[in-house]
Amino acid sequence: RLIIETAHDAFVGMGADGLITDWNRQAEALFGWSRSEAIGRPLADTIIPAGHREAHSKGLQHFIRTGQGPVLNKKIEISALNRGGREFPVELTIWPVRIGGTVRFNSFIHDITERKQAHERLDKINDCFLSFGPDPNENINSLTKLAGELMQASCALYNRMDGNLLCSVGRWQTPADMNPPANVDGRICYDVIHRSNDKLFVVRDLLNTPYAETDPNVKPYGLQTYIGKLVKAGGVSVGTLCTVYQRDVVPGRSEEELMGIIASAVGIEEERKQAAEEFK
């Protein structure tokens, strides 16, 4: 019992009748049902999405009849369902336990949503890199779009310094009048460049910050969150890759790593652009 209750993964026990017999604290947190609510409920109706319940029932009955099953004692990926109706991927390890003439099934269940999302993000990053052409500006636009899509932003921009002006070289889902060349005073992106700090720059509740008055894009577009990453080329701070939101967003470690990868790729394209200009 101590091992089950202190496990990092959800532990679920089920009888041969398909009813839940055991349910630890991690299962409560993962699926949203308390132990007292879950025990005695049909497992299929509690954590299996509707489209998979028939297959689950057939597999259970097959084991009871034959004592064999393709998923037993192996790690498999399936879709699970929480109490709120959210479907998500999990890794399941299930094994049978015979006690006298009865059979029970024990299982550990691990949420792999973040792992799947990380794999999908890496696939999209690789696809973007492989689609690059000879024009660095087009590649930078592709990277800006990638950042916006993967970060689920309202819009995304890559702003760089051009003399004393801040210019948008990369845009994704930005209004046409949002970013003409502008003076740098009070602009969030300029502050990121000026700070020259490699850490992710996050500003939440923008409408209640000084930027609501100094950055002309905040109020007109109702921006709530700004996430920016410094871009360097040849060791010099040249621009800012940013995603902005009309909602409150708290980025995690995976988002920070993602912005770092894309900002580094933008920096490489900036270096290619500089090298081409020097060659000309």
Side-chain angles (χ1 to χ4, degrees):
R1 173 54 51 187
L2 180 63
I3 291 171
I4 289 171
E5 289 301 334
T6 57
H8 291 293
D9 296 331
F11 178 87
V12 177
M14 180 183 68
D17 54 4
L19 300 181
I20 296 170
T21 59
D22 209 342
W23 190 264
N24 71 351
R25 286 177 291 184
Q26 288 294 341
E28 290 182 331
L30 184 61
F31 296 110
W33 299 89
S34 70
R35 177 181 170 85
S36 59
E37 290 173 322
I39 289 179
R41 285 180 57 88
L43 180 72
D45 295 345
T46 307
I47 69 170
I48 305 296
H52 300 269
R53 288 171 188 168
E54 184 177 353
H56 167 82
S57 178
K58 287 181 179 179
L60 175 63
Q61 294 305 317
H62 173 77
F63 175 79
I64 293 172
R65 290 195 311 271
T66 67
Q68 298 177 350
V71 303
L72 299 178
N73 303 309
K74 298 178 182 178
K75 286 186 177 181
I76 59 169
E77 291 185 13
I78 65 168
S79 292
L81 192 73
N82 71 6
R83 188 172 190 170
R86 182 177 72 89
E87 191 171 332
F88 57 98
V90 298
E91 189 175 71
L92 169 72
T93 305
I94 183 169
W95 68 97
V97 178
R98 290 190 179 275
I99 304 175
T102 63
V103 63
R104 286 178 52 181
F105 299 90
N106 291 335
S107 59
F108 277 112
I109 304 173
H110 180 66
D111 185 355
I112 58 172
T113 301
E114 289 188 6
R115 186 200 305 173
K116 298 286 282 188
Q117 288 176 343
H119 287 169
E120 290 170 2
R121 284 174 171 177
L122 285 174
D123 287 342
K124 289 181 179 179
I125 290 171
N126 287 333
D127 289 342
C128 181
F129 288 171
L130 292 171
S131 71
F132 280 179
D135 186 342
N137 286 333
E138 289 184 4
N139 297 340
I140 288 172
N141 260 302
S142 295
L143 289 165
T144 305
K145 176 184 177 183
L146 180 69
E149 290 177 343
L150 295 186
M151 294 288 287
Q152 300 180 340
S154 300
C155 64
L157 303 101
Y158 168 59
N159 292 326
R160 76 180 316 276
M161 295 300 301
D162 186 3
N164 293 322
L165 297 178
L166 194 64
C167 300
S168 294
V169 179
R171 298 184 183 89
W172 177 75
Q173 290 194 168
T174 57
D177 61 344
M178 186 173 185
N179 273 283
N183 291 323
V184 299
D185 294 339
R187 301 275 180 155
I188 311 176
C189 282
Y190 174 72
D191 285 352
V192 177
I193 300 170
H194 184 66
R195 284 167 174 256
S196 195
N197 191 316
D198 289 327
K199 291 184 178 180
L200 202 65
F201 188 80
V202 181
V203 184
R204 299 168 60 197
D205 196 18
L206 275 166
L207 293 171
N208 291 314
T209 69
Y211 289 119
E213 304 299 330
T214 62
D215 193 313
N217 293 319
V218 174
K219 280 186 176 179
Y221 303 106
L223 302 182
Q224 293 288 333
T225 307
Y226 172 98
I227 300 174
K229 181 69 176 178
L230 180 68
V231 173
K232 291 184 177 180
V236 178
S237 301
V238 296
T240 307
L241 176 69
C242 69
T243 54
V244 294
Y245 306 79
Q246 292 172 316
R247 65 184 190 279
D248 185 44
V249 174
V250 182
R253 186 175 65 180
S254 60
E255 285 76 24
E256 184 170 359
E257 291 174 350
L258 174 65
M259 288 292 283
I261 291 170
I262 300 176
S264 295
V266 172
I268 292 171
E269 292 304 306
E270 284 282 13
E271 290 175 357
R272 290 182 59 233
K273 183 178 179 180
Q274 292 174 7
E277 291 173 353
E278 291 171 2
F279 180 75
K280 288 179 182 179

